[in-house]
Amino acid sequence: MITVENLTKSFQGVSALNGVTLDVEAGTVLGVVGPSGAGKSTLARCVALLERPDSGAIRVDGTDITSLDGSALRAARRQIGVVPQGDSLLRQRTAAGNIALPLESAGVPGPQRRTRVGELLDLVGLTDKAAAYPDQLSGGQRQRIAVARALAANPSVLLADEPTSALDPETTGSVLTVLDRARAELGVTVLVVTHDMNVVRKICDDVAVLEQGRVVEHGKVLDLVGNPVSRTSSALLPAVDLNPINESSYDRVADVVLVGFAAVGALLPEAAHRFGVELNIVGGGLTRLGETPVARFRLGLNGERSDSALEWIGEAGGAVQRSLKGPQGVAA
Amino acid sequence: MRSATPWSDVITYLVEATGETLYMVGVSTVIATVLGVPVGVWLQLTAKGGLRPNTAVHRVLSFVTDLGRSMPFIVLLVALTSVTRLIVGGSIGSTAVIVPLAVGAIPFVGRLVQNILSEVHVTVVEAAITTGASTLKIVRSVLIRESLPALINAIGVTVIALIGYSAMAGVIGGGGLGDLAIREGYQRFNDRILWSTVAWLAVLTTVIQLGFTRAARAFDRRRHASV
Ligand SMILES: Nc1ncnc2c1ncn2[C@@H]1O[C@H](COP(=O)(O)OP(=O)(O)O)[C@@H](O)[C@H]1O
Ligand SMILES: [Mg+2]
């Protein structure tokens, strides 16, 4: 749906994007993460058609949008809903009036406009705030109105730059729910820029890690978490604290990532049972990526067939990350 | 030693002069607003970071605006005599004062308006851009509507400034409150007229200022909106 090819952009000779290539499949949510100054906003602004890249292409539904002008540019902008970074609502308009703005730009007549605004207020759960002005809304409510506005003209793509950065964790949840509904109920393709890994955990199918204007990692979140050396995995999964005292009493110590209900629930007891080993969780924990439970555990095993048990866990779908304590480490 | 002018006469003088002042200031404010707001919009559109940045146009426009603003009004009043005659068919009287007042106020309004429009946050403007809105739509629905309270206050400031300028109207026989204070009051040593006019001017400008502040607040939906 969105394809970014070899995008470059520099400001006064300072490079902000350095050959960025990405794609977002239709109806999925891509999270663009990375440290401050990595070029996330610049990328978002290029896709939002607020900034023209120096070179490269941005295709939305196959059409390159980087070189449009005039009315073609305005039409393309209507295809891309944008939730800008920071406060962006008109303070002199009601919530409903703000949501209506893109519809006015698109020349939608009054009665249809009101119907559509009603639908969007419902989508973001703020029907009772239709007549409220932005200064009467909380930060989370304002952000939901901004999402509703971005969705008003039925765009195929929704772009959000740090939609939750100014919000507390609770309010963040309500904004993420709205973004998730946009994808689920409207089939919109979402690109969300964030430095908050919780956003990735909760709503992203894919993730792209940007560093110094380059994509250093890009793929499905559930694939990347199973890869022990991926940045996504170390950022998203629970930390496995070192606990040498605990670990010294085991023949084998290994880290394992388990993805999905079946793996998380059943794999470890099954391994212990099959191979007749003692298997304990000595570190790590459980998290949730979207609807999928994902665990990273540090396991301590005792028993002759510990290596076989670990091998079996790997074959059964768990990602055994590393054996911290191999055969040579076993005390004589 | 003359006896003081009777109060009834003072009031007659004040009423007549107030009418002249309001006429001169009112009409020139309307003209200055109608022509000055577009100048301000144009200044802001062409400014760096504006919707249609154009350094060359912006420089020329800024230069002309600042030149107009720095021109002493009394000079404008006499320098524009021939233009005034062309437009209003005469070069003396209240109507004739309107031309230099309006001409002097256009750049004044233009600069005020530009400063006000530049205060609209860039994120808000960009959000509107991303909706596919045309430049005209953004000017109307975002720049002007978002700054309406400040713009109304700016018109109030302009009215007060024009009341000040109109005091020099007497030079070309325009009459008005300033003229009354100077000619009947000061030059004829008529303290009663002089101080009554001063007091009345204070009341008048305060009321006008208050009116504009109220109107601005009525249009402002920020903070204590009434819903
Ligand atoms: N308009 C601009 N003018 C100059 N430099 C800019 C501008 N926008 C971004 N940059 C620079 O580009 C780099 C990337 O910035 P940005 O895209 O905002 O990063 P992020 O959103 O990941 O924090 C930074 O070094 C920043 O200073
Ligand atoms: Mg940013």
Side-chain angles (χ1 to χ4, degrees):
Chain A
M1 190 65 196
I2 312 173
T3 317
V4 175
E5 289 166 15
N6 222 359
L7 212 62
T8 65
K9 174 78 190 176
S10 50
F11 297 101
Q12 293 104 42
V14 181
S15 165
L17 297 177
N18 212 331
V20 169
T21 298
L22 288 175
D23 65 286
V24 198
E25 221 175 285
T28 65
V29 180
L30 170 73
V32 175
V33 299
S36 173
K40 305 183 296 294
S41 290
T42 306
L43 173 64
R45 290 172 58 81
C46 284
V47 180
L49 297 169
L50 286 170
E51 207 86 70
R52 245 182 235 278
D54 298 335
S55 69
I58 300 167
R59 284 178 224 288
V60 172
D61 224 354
T63 324
D64 187 2
I65 56 169
T66 47
S67 49
L68 300 174
D69 272 306
S71 60
L73 176 62
R74 288 201 299 279
R77 281 177 173 147
R78 262 175 238 133
Q79 273 308 298
I80 301 165
V82 181
V83 182
Q85 184 165 10
D87 258 333
S88 66
L89 297 182
L90 298 171
R91 294 174 76 191
Q92 304 287 359
R93 277 197 184 205
T94 60
N98 270 285
I99 299 174
L101 186 70
L103 301 168
E104 293 168 15
S105 303
V108 176
Q112 277 159 262
R113 218 154 61 205
R114 277 186 285 279
T115 312
R116 181 76 187 133
V117 168
E119 290 167 9
L120 287 153
L121 281 166
D122 186 45
L123 181 84
V124 301
L126 290 172
T127 306
D128 57 326
K129 297 290 181 192
Y133 287 90
D135 282 16
Q136 302 167 309
L137 298 172
S138 71
Q141 290 170 335
R142 282 202 294 274
Q143 206 59 322
R144 276 144 75 193
I145 295 296
V147 175
R149 174 181 62 189
L151 293 168
N154 270 317
S156 49
V157 166
L158 180 67
L159 208 69
D161 191 356
E162 304 279 9
T164 62
S165 64
L167 308 176
D168 56 60
E170 205 172 307
T171 332
T172 294
S174 71
V175 173
L176 294 182
T177 304
V178 163
L179 289 175
D180 201 40
R181 282 186 81 176
R183 178 264 303 271
E185 294 177 23
L186 308 175
V188 176
T189 306
V190 183
L191 194 158
V192 55
V193 165
T194 185
H195 66 261
D196 179 2
M197 278 318 211
N198 267 319
V199 175
V200 178
R201 280 194 194 98
K202 290 202 173 113
I203 62 167
C204 293
D205 302 295
D206 292 14
V207 65
V209 182
L210 216 57
E211 266 173 29
Q212 296 179 344
R214 286 175 210 278
V215 176
V216 294
E217 199 168 291
H218 177 28
K220 298 216 165 304
V221 175
L222 291 180
D223 291 346
L224 287 170
V225 289
N227 177 357
V229 295
S230 77
R231 293 162 214 251
T232 306
S233 151
S234 52
L236 285 182
L237 295 180
V240 276
D241 299 322
L242 291 171
N243 195 341
I245 298 158
N246 236 341
E247 289 164 16
S248 60
S249 58
Y250 291 102
D251 295 340
R252 297 286 183 275
V253 174
D255 286 351
V256 60
V257 174
L258 305 170
V259 178
F261 284 102
V264 171
L267 218 52
L268 300 185
E270 166 101 30
H273 178 75
R274 272 192 187 215
F275 296 91
V277 294
E278 180 200 347
L279 192 158
N280 288 323
I281 294 168
V282 296
L286 191 68
T287 186
R288 204 176 253 277
L289 300 176
E291 293 297 306
T292 312
V294 176
R296 172 159 63 184
F297 293 134
R298 174 154 296 172
L299 304 177
L301 297 91
N302 273 325
E304 273 174 28
R305 298 173 72 198
S306 292
D307 285 325
S308 309
L310 284 173
E311 204 174 307
W312 180 83
I313 290 171
E315 283 163 9
V320 180
Q321 292 187 350
R322 54 202 166 115
S323 258
L324 298 165
K325 211 170 174 186
Q328 64 273 42
V330 184
Chain B
M1 190 66 182
R2 270 185 319 154
S3 60
T5 316
W7 279 110
S8 61
D9 288 1
V10 172
I11 289 170
T12 312
Y13 272 130
L14 280 177
V15 168
E16 193 189 343
T18 303
E20 286 161 353
T21 292
L22 291 182
Y23 168 62
M24 292 186 287
V25 171
V27 175
S28 51
T29 300
V30 170
I31 297 172
T33 304
V34 168
L35 298 177
V37 170
V39 169
V41 168
W42 199 13
L43 274 167
Q44 178 55 24
L45 285 183
T46 54
K48 196 161 148 269
L51 287 167
R52 294 284 172 87
N54 188 326
T55 315
V57 172
H58 185 77
R59 285 230 179 102
V60 172
L61 208 56
S62 277
F63 177 75
V64 175
T65 305
D66 292 339
L67 195 71
R69 280 199 319 152
S70 58
M71 192 69 67
F73 179 68
I74 191 90
V75 174
L76 213 56
L77 197 65
V78 293
L80 287 178
T81 330
S82 52
V83 182
T84 303
R85 194 176 295 126
L86 210 70
I87 297 175
V88 301
S91 60
I92 56 166
S94 295
T95 307
V97 181
I98 289 172
V99 175
L101 275 181
V103 169
I106 290 168
F108 183 81
V109 172
R111 195 51 95 178
L112 277 179
V113 168
Q114 190 218 337
N115 281 336
I116 289 167
L117 298 186
S118 71
E119 294 285 310
V120 178
H121 284 293
V122 64
T123 13
V124 175
V125 177
E126 284 185 346
I129 293 176
T130 65
T131 69
S134 64
T135 304
L136 181 68
K137 168 84 182 156
I138 295 172
V139 167
R140 279 206 329 240
S141 300
V142 181
L143 292 183
I144 292 186
R145 185 59 192 87
E146 280 294 290
S147 11
L148 201 54
L151 289 174
I152 290 171
N153 269 323
I155 304 305
V157 168
T158 307
V159 170
I160 303 299
L162 285 180
I163 290 177
Y165 289 154
S166 74
M168 299 170 214
V171 174
I172 60 168
L177 288 165
D179 190 37
L180 177 66
I182 295 165
R183 219 157 28 80
E184 298 294 332
Y186 178 69
Q187 287 171 358
R188 296 190 177 185
F189 307 101
N190 188 334
D191 280 357
R192 181 173 279 188
I193 288 192
L194 177 60
W195 291 110
S196 318
T197 313
V198 168
W200 173 233
L201 268 171
V203 171
L204 191 67
T205 49
T206 306
V207 167
I208 289 173
Q209 189 73 73
L210 217 66
F212 275 96
T213 308
R214 282 269 171 84
R217 207 177 298 149
F219 275 97
D220 200 347
R221 299 294 186 256
R222 288 170 297 178
R223 286 176 300 274
H224 314 292
S226 52
V227 170

